[in-house]
């Protein structure tokens, strides 16, 4: 997977225009749109507070080694074909699950026969919240030899601000943000991160 920067896209678009190839403008516009969507998704992930950026496997393991089971973080993937990885503490120790990004969508990496059936998302935060909500009521006990990932508590890069905590609490209570008797600027702030605090989650590691 190769992502082109906005600067390179603008340069390519200008070159095509100079050489009289207007038919090439549409693909460039689509790539520019996808780049903007990716930038927005990454900014939202940074606001979540548990994105650690450029972190090695060893560093993630060290951070999670003494954490309770279910503690997790999101970091840049060390694999060139992936953007991000979830590192999580399991009963067997810290482990990792890659997040695949393709055609403007995020989904969990898995074996080939399962991958096409996995739900795709515009947002990494939405991806994780979806699996949290989907699996929160499951109580089955893992069978021998099966490792489950429990996403219970995000490992924050720093303590979340009081504003962010309040935003999460309000979004827990209502999804009718625009109906609240609040100033428009405050409503816009609440809508920037319209997710709940992450609860217990598990899925079978493939």
């Amino acid at each position: 997977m190769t992502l082109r920067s906005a600067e390179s896209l603008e340069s390519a678009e200008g070159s095509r225009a100079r050489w009289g190839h207007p038919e090439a403008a549409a693909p460039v516009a689509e790539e520019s749109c996808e780049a903007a969507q990716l930038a927005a998704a990454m900014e939202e992930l940074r606001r979540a507070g548990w994105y650690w950026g450029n972190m090695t496997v060893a560093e993630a393991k060290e951070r999670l080694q003494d954490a309770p089971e279910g503690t997790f973080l999101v970091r840049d993937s060390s694999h060139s074909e992936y953007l991000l990885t979830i590192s999580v503490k399991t009963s067997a120790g810290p482990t990792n699950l890659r997040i695949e990004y393709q055609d403007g969508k995020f989904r969990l990496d898995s074996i080939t026969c399962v991958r096409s059936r996995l739900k795709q998302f515009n947002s990494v935060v939405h991806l994780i919240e979806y699996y949290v909500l989907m699996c929160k009521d499951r109580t089955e006990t893992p069978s021998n030899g099966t490792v489950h990932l429990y996403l219970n508590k995000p490992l924050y890069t720093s303590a979340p601000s009081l504003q962010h905590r309040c935003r999460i609490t309000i979004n827990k209570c209502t999804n009718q943000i625009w109906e609240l008797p609040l100033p428009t600027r405050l409503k816009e702030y609440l809508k920037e991160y319209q997710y709940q605090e992450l609860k217990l989650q598990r899925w079978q590691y493939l």
Side-chain angles (χ1 to χ4, degrees), residues 7 31-33 40 47 55 78 111 160 165 174 178-179 197 199 202 204:
E7 181 180 352
E31 291 185 28
S32 297
C33 181
R47 284 197 294 266
M55 172 183 277
S78 57
I111 56 178
R165 288 182 178 273
T174 182
W178 291 111
E179 303 301 320
E197 186 68 38
K199 297 295 185 180
R202 72 180 165 188
Q204 186 171 347

Side-chain angles (χ1 to χ4, degrees), residues 53 94 126 133 139 169:
H126 189 192
L133 297 175
T139 58
T169 300

Side-chain angles (χ1 to χ4, degrees), residues 163-171 189-190 192-193:
Q163 288 177 318
H164 187 62
R165 288 182 178 273
C166 289
R167 173 163 57 182
I168 290 173
T169 300
I170 292 172
N171 278 305
Y189 175 75
L190 296 174
E192 283 179 357
Y193 189 83

Side-chain angles (χ1 to χ4, degrees), residues 106-108 115-121 126-127 130-131:
F106 299 93
R107 66 181 174 189
L108 298 179
R115 188 177 298 127
S116 63
R117 301 200 299 270
L118 293 178
K119 189 174 177 64
Q120 300 181 84
F121 303 86
H126 189 192
L127 178 153
Y130 171 83
Y131 286 105

Side-chain angles (χ1 to χ4, degrees), residues 99-114:
I99 297 176
E100 182 181 84
Y101 178 75
Q102 187 174 22
D103 299 327
K105 301 289 185 179
F106 299 93
R107 66 181 174 189
L108 298 179
D109 183 37
S110 184
I111 56 178
T112 303
C113 63
V114 175

Side-chain angles (χ1 to χ4, degrees), residues 68-93:
E69 182 179 356
T71 304
F72 72 94
L73 60 87
V74 175
R75 60 181 176 82
D76 294 340
S77 177
S78 57
H79 195 292
S80 61
E81 295 184 5
Y82 297 85
L83 282 177
L84 301 164
T85 292
I86 302 170
S87 293
V88 56
K89 176 67 176 294
T90 72
S91 58

Side-chain angles (χ1 to χ4, degrees), residues 49-55 63 73-76 155-158:
W50 29 266
Y51 168 60
W52 287 74
N54 186 16
M55 172 183 277
R63 289 280 183 179
L73 60 87
V74 175
R75 60 181 176 82
D76 294 340
L155 183 63
Y156 287 94
T157 58
S158 60

